[in-house]
Amino acid sequence: MSEYQYYEFVAVDRPLTSVQQRELRALSTRARITSSSFVNDYQWGDLKGDPREWMQRYFDAFLYLANWGTHRVALRLPVGVLDPATAAEYCVGESACSWATRTHVILDLQSEDEDGDEEYEGGGHLAAILPARAELAVGDRRLLYLAWLLCVQNRELADGEPEPPVPPGLGELSGPQHALVDFLRLDPELLTVAAETSTPLKETVPSTAALSRWVKALPEPEKNEVVVRLMRGDDAHLRSELLARFRCAAPDERAGAGRTAGELLARAGERWSRRQQLARQREAAERERQERAVAAAREQRLNALAGRQEQEWQRIAAMVETKRPKEYDAAVVLLSDLKALADRDGDSEAFRQRMRQLRERHARKPSLLDRLDRAGLGALGVS
């Protein structure tokens, strides 16, 4: 299996400066570098840089995959829109971790598959996932919960580890969140079990009246600061930060309902076992239906064949004389039906005699005899 690695970095909140682009170009002559992205893939060699460091210095999103089974995605948000403590509450293992700089929080999520991906192209995955970052920025914590669930799935938590607050809408993930679930290979059974205690997703746009009440309650210095930041126009997340603060003032998440990591895994295992059992039952029923259909069709053929045996033996003789493989195959099918008809009607001895004569007459045609043997018509000529 040849090696394949794909790296994609994206700057969302602020474009890369010309100086930053030159710094990145000095590390890669092949990469596709723009003011908002760095993309490169490798069939040999590796990235001459540390993705963790690049996330801290340059970029807001990062995606990596390798055809030996590694999938990794990282997202960076300002501390004003995502509290580092909140991120740390959900990102609790090797598969999902978080860390904070002075200005940002970075989430790093990773999935491994020992079977690997023999053929894989990386383009398009980050574009599908990236809008989930904007959802998180306005207070949607479903992405964080998915990160915690990834740690549960990979057995990185003790069975007794309590579940963190469950965000609403786990049973109705957005498109970008579904893309993240697929990329990280989250178990759908585990996700279904986790969503059982999640409340329905409410209207994401707060009412004007609710916003007005909240804004009026803000201290005057905070309002002045917001207006100054708005007028400066250099804060891409000002709206997200304010909406996140608004939602935190009236959280709609529920606690983990007393569930633990071990209980979620056990329930997911039970669901998987039930689904497998149902699938086996459906497969068995389908096989039985097909067998009945085949038996009915053959019985119909045998009924049509009854009374015409002599004509069919003559047809078989003509087919065999052609020495053509396709005619041999057709003759074997017809002989099998004649045998079944003879067995059904108690005329097996007459069939065996005709069969013995046919084999003796064409003993110098090994291709024909081989087909007869494989069709279970070989031993008939030995008695």
Side-chain angles (χ1 to χ4, degrees):
M1 180 174 69
S2 61
E3 177 180 300
Y4 176 76
Q5 296 183 83
Y6 177 85
Y7 290 85
E8 181 176 359
F9 295 84
V10 175
V12 179
D13 296 341
R14 189 167 297 166
L16 298 171
T17 65
S18 57
V19 172
Q20 290 173 326
Q21 292 180 59
R22 285 196 297 271
E23 291 173 352
L24 294 170
R25 179 57 70 195
L27 296 170
S28 175
T29 57
R30 291 181 54 250
R32 300 179 292 282
I33 301 174
T34 70
S35 61
S36 61
S37 66
F38 175 105
V39 180
N40 206 359
D41 53 20
Y42 299 86
Q43 275 73 46
W44 55 272
D46 203 351
L47 182 73
K48 294 181 175 65
D50 181 358
R52 181 183 175 106
E53 179 185 348
W54 285 21
M55 286 296 293
Q56 294 177 179
R57 294 184 58 189
Y58 303 113
F59 296 105
D60 301 303
F62 161 60
L63 183 138
Y64 168 82
L65 62 82
N67 63 347
W68 52 77
T70 301
H71 289 190
R72 182 182 178 190
V73 63
L75 301 171
R76 183 181 74 168
L77 293 101
V79 293
V81 300
L82 179 60
D83 181 7
T86 300
E89 185 179 9
Y90 291 89
C91 300
V92 291
E94 294 183 4
S95 299
C97 64
S98 67
W99 72 92
T101 66
R102 182 178 58 83
T103 57
H104 289 88
V105 180
I106 299 167
L107 313 177
D108 195 348
L109 315 179
Q110 184 164 310
S111 168
E112 299 286 350
D113 182 358
E114 293 180 358
D115 293 333
D117 299 308
E118 190 163 343
E119 294 184 7
Y120 215 132
E121 292 296 329
H125 291 287
L126 187 55
I129 294 170
L130 190 55
R133 174 180 179 268
E135 295 166 345
L136 178 58
V138 294
D140 185 341
R141 295 189 181 181
R142 286 178 290 178
L143 186 151
L144 291 178
Y145 187 92
L146 295 176
W148 182 81
L149 209 58
L150 183 64
C151 296
V152 174
Q153 175 175 304
N154 292 331
R155 271 61 172 186
E156 295 171 3
L157 304 179
D159 285 347
E161 186 71 24
E163 182 181 30
V166 181
L170 274 181
E172 44 185 329
L173 298 179
S174 68
Q177 290 162 358
H178 272 298
L180 181 65
V181 166
D182 292 341
F183 185 73
L184 295 176
R185 298 178 278 231
L186 265 172
D187 179 8
E189 302 292 355
L190 185 59
L191 181 56
T192 299
V193 169
E196 289 175 348
T197 63
S198 177
T199 59
L201 194 64
K202 296 179 181 178
E203 178 61 49
T204 57
V205 179
S207 67
T208 301
L211 287 174
S212 297
R213 288 192 297 271
W214 183 77
V215 169
K216 288 177 182 179
L218 286 176
E220 195 68 26
E222 287 190 36
K223 294 180 186 178
N224 294 338
E225 179 188 357
V226 166
V227 172
V228 171
R229 289 170 61 188
L230 177 63
M231 295 179 69
R232 283 168 54 96
D234 58 358
D235 196 329
H237 281 283
L238 177 58
R239 178 177 179 274
S240 298
E241 179 183 335
L242 292 174
L243 284 173
R245 288 176 58 187
F246 169 81
R247 289 192 171 94
C248 287
D252 55 356
E253 297 169 7
R254 61 172 61 182
R259 300 186 299 184
T260 65
E263 289 170 351
L264 289 172
L265 285 171
R267 289 269 292 109
E270 292 169 2
R271 280 183 57 88
W272 183 85
S273 296
R274 286 198 300 271
R275 285 171 64 89
Q276 292 301 305
Q277 182 179 10
L278 290 173
R280 287 192 295 270
Q281 291 173 350
R282 287 194 296 269
E283 290 171 1
E286 177 61 19
R287 282 196 302 271
E288 184 179 349
R289 185 195 67 78
Q290 291 179 357
E291 290 168 0
R292 288 197 303 268
V294 169
R298 187 165 201 189
E299 188 66 19
Q300 187 175 7
R301 288 204 316 275
L302 297 184
N303 291 337
L305 196 60
R308 301 184 68 255
Q309 290 93 324
E310 191 59 36
Q311 296 95 309
E312 298 305 324
W313 278 108
Q314 292 176 12
R315 282 185 61 201
I316 291 168
M319 291 176 183
V320 171
E321 290 297 338
T322 66
K323 300 182 181 181
R324 290 198 292 265
K326 288 185 179 180
E327 295 295 320
Y328 283 176
D329 291 336
V332 168
V333 171
L334 190 51
L335 283 166
S336 296
D337 283 348
L338 286 171
K339 179 180 182 301
L341 179 62
D343 292 342
R344 187 192 74 175
D345 295 346
D347 200 17
S348 298
E349 182 57 32
F351 177 83
R352 280 196 292 270
Q353 292 177 3
R354 296 291 293 266
M355 192 71 231
R356 187 182 305 116
Q357 294 168 4
L358 177 71
R359 291 180 66 95
E360 290 172 353
R361 187 179 306 118
H362 300 285
R364 294 174 179 258
K365 295 177 179 175
S367 177
L368 171 64
L369 297 180
D370 179 63
R371 283 171 165 79
L372 295 174
D373 290 341
R374 284 188 279 116
L377 299 169
L380 298 173
V382 184
S383 61

